Amino acid sequence: MKILLLGASGRLGRRLAPLLSARAELFAPSRDELDATDLKALRTYLKSKQVDRCISLVASTDVARCEKDVAYAWHNPRTAGAISLACKKTNVEFLHASSDYVVPLLLGHRV
């Protein structure tokens, strides 16, 4: 099995990567190596590596900035949506994990 782990350099990703690599062929590109918001690049990567599953831990964790800049806060759901679409179009199973902390901000509520 081939797994693409996005967000491998984050807190959860650093712990999950060794567990996954012991059980599957793991691809964990850095943000510089693969821009998860670039749908075309992501689809190309998924196809070229023949990925079976994609795990996304990609998220902005700058809550203070999200509280001040709602447009910035939309980064998390938009990125998750783009990755989901790329996986759907390439027939790759997709799992996304993230905090829901900024979601109330997007709905117009203070946290």
Side-chain angles (χ1 to χ4, degrees), residues 39-94:
L39 187 58
K40 184 177 179 182
L42 187 55
R43 286 175 64 185
T44 299
Y45 192 94
L46 291 168
K47 287 179 185 178
S48 70
K49 301 293 187 186
Q50 298 178 328
V51 172
D52 300 299
R53 294 188 177 139
C54 175
I55 300 173
S56 173
L57 308 175
V58 174
S60 169
T61 57
D62 187 347
V63 175
R65 182 173 175 191
C66 289
E67 288 176 339
K68 295 175 189 166
D69 183 357
V70 175
Y72 176 79
W74 276 102
H75 169 79
N76 288 351
R78 284 189 180 127
T79 301
I83 298 167
S84 174
L85 184 59
C87 289
K88 181 178 180 178
K89 290 187 178 284
T90 54
N91 213 23
V92 172
E93 291 181 16
F94 175 62

Side-chain angles (χ1 to χ4, degrees), residues 7 12-13 16 19 23 25 27-28 31-32 42 47 49 53 55 66 69 71 74 87 90 98-100 102 104 111:
L12 180 57
L16 190 57
L19 300 173
R23 293 168 178 78
E25 185 175 353
F27 303 102
R31 186 180 316 163
D32 292 336
L42 187 55
K47 287 179 185 178
K49 301 293 187 186
R53 294 188 177 139
I55 300 173
C66 289
D69 183 357
W74 276 102
C87 289
T90 54
S98 182
S99 167
D100 64 353
V102 299
V111 177

